[in-house]
Amino acid sequence: MASTDEDTSSADDSSSEQQESGAPDLASIPEVVAEIDGEAISREDFLQAYSSQYAQASLQAQQTGVPVDESALQREVAENLVTVELLEREAEREGIEASEADVDRLAETLAAQNQLGSVEELFDLLAKQGLNEEQAREELTAQATIDAVIATEVGELTFTEDELRELYEAVLAQQEESGAAAEVIPPFEDVRDQLQQQATAQERSLIVEQLVASLRDEVELEFFV
């Protein structure tokens, strides 16, 4: 029988070779990666999401020289799948469903954000990350539905002049603490719109975080990665 050290060394070598070849280490992925109230998130569903995320992480690793932390990435993907499932359940409970137009708008938005000339180029990019067009549309539909749930939860966010000025003062204080006094921050009136966007993004993020936390509290979760 081989020693434990030899086994560990062999596994490490295998993992290292896979990373060098650009392939993720899938040997340790169980058939069930997580359970929500006993309902499984399967290895198959996980791998579909993981292959895309790993491709993006690999590109970043090539640029930074820091290898992909596969263990952390696996858990992150599993957590994201749980969040998606919980939000989809909430959508079903609330009777919220994305339309084809919602999906098309999301695809156009993502194409623009990625500086692509068309939705077709977006699908080409996703194909390189391991998603065919049918799979990509399924993910876009899920995302559009989740966006609709979040929009319903968040509602219309507005902020008073005092709240925006308070945020502006916080930015100034942060600049002073960081010692970046040489950087000139424009007057409040010139950055009011950016402050509005920043405040909206922060509040939206907080509301979504609270929503997901409350949904997680309603179920029993177990992870296997």
Side-chain angles (χ1 to χ4, degrees):
M1 176 185 263
S3 70
T4 302
D5 289 344
E6 289 173 342
D7 290 341
T8 303
S9 175
S10 176
D12 289 344
D13 290 344
S14 175
S15 177
S16 176
E17 289 172 3
Q18 284 174 314
Q19 283 209 6
E20 288 175 3
S21 68
D25 179 10
L26 305 178
S28 62
I29 307 299
E31 288 303 314
V32 175
V33 298
E35 287 184 351
I36 306 173
D37 286 337
E39 183 177 329
I41 292 179
S42 70
R43 184 178 194 271
E44 181 180 359
D45 290 340
F46 175 87
L47 292 181
Q48 181 174 317
Y50 186 65
S51 60
S52 174
Q53 291 296 312
Y54 184 85
Q56 295 178 37
S58 293
L59 288 175
Q60 185 175 358
Q62 291 172 13
Q63 295 169 354
T64 63
V66 179
V68 178
D69 184 343
E70 290 202 54
S71 178
L73 184 61
Q74 288 170 10
R75 181 54 182 255
E76 179 184 341
V77 171
E79 291 274 5
N80 288 342
L81 287 172
V82 165
T83 296
V84 168
E85 175 63 24
L86 292 175
L87 289 171
E88 287 180 340
R89 288 186 181 188
E90 181 68 7
E92 186 174 355
R93 184 162 60 186
E94 297 293 331
I96 298 172
E97 186 175 353
S99 66
E100 268 309 307
D102 293 330
V103 176
D104 290 341
R105 277 194 295 271
L106 177 58
E108 290 168 3
T109 298
L110 291 175
Q113 288 176 349
N114 286 277
Q115 298 181 330
L116 301 173
S118 67
V119 170
E120 286 71 24
E121 288 184 28
L122 173 67
F123 287 131
D124 289 342
L125 175 62
L126 293 173
K128 292 176 183 178
Q129 297 173 0
L131 294 177
N132 61 38
E133 184 168 342
E134 182 181 355
Q135 292 169 330
R137 282 201 168 274
E138 287 177 0
E139 289 207 1
L140 288 171
T141 299
Q143 185 59 55
T145 300
I146 288 170
D147 288 347
V149 172
I150 291 172
T152 300
E153 185 72 17
V154 172
E156 185 175 351
L157 297 175
T158 58
F159 300 90
T160 66
E161 195 79 359
D162 287 344
E163 288 172 328
L164 293 178
R165 285 190 177 278
E166 185 177 338
L167 179 57
Y168 180 74
E169 294 298 329
V171 171
L172 292 178
Q174 185 178 20
Q175 181 200 44
E176 187 175 342
E177 289 176 6
S178 66
E183 181 184 349
V184 177
I185 294 182
F188 171 80
E189 292 73 15
D190 293 347
V191 294
R192 191 182 186 287
D193 288 345
Q194 291 104 304
L195 291 169
Q196 175 79 30
Q197 293 170 4
Q198 182 180 342
T200 299
Q202 289 175 347
E203 185 65 17
R204 182 182 186 277
S205 178
L206 178 60
I207 292 171
V208 172
E209 185 180 321
Q210 291 171 339
L211 171 62
V212 172
S214 69
L215 294 175
R216 287 175 69 112
D217 285 343
E218 294 173 2
V219 299
E220 288 189 12
L221 290 177
E222 190 169 2
F223 290 91
F224 304 103
V225 292

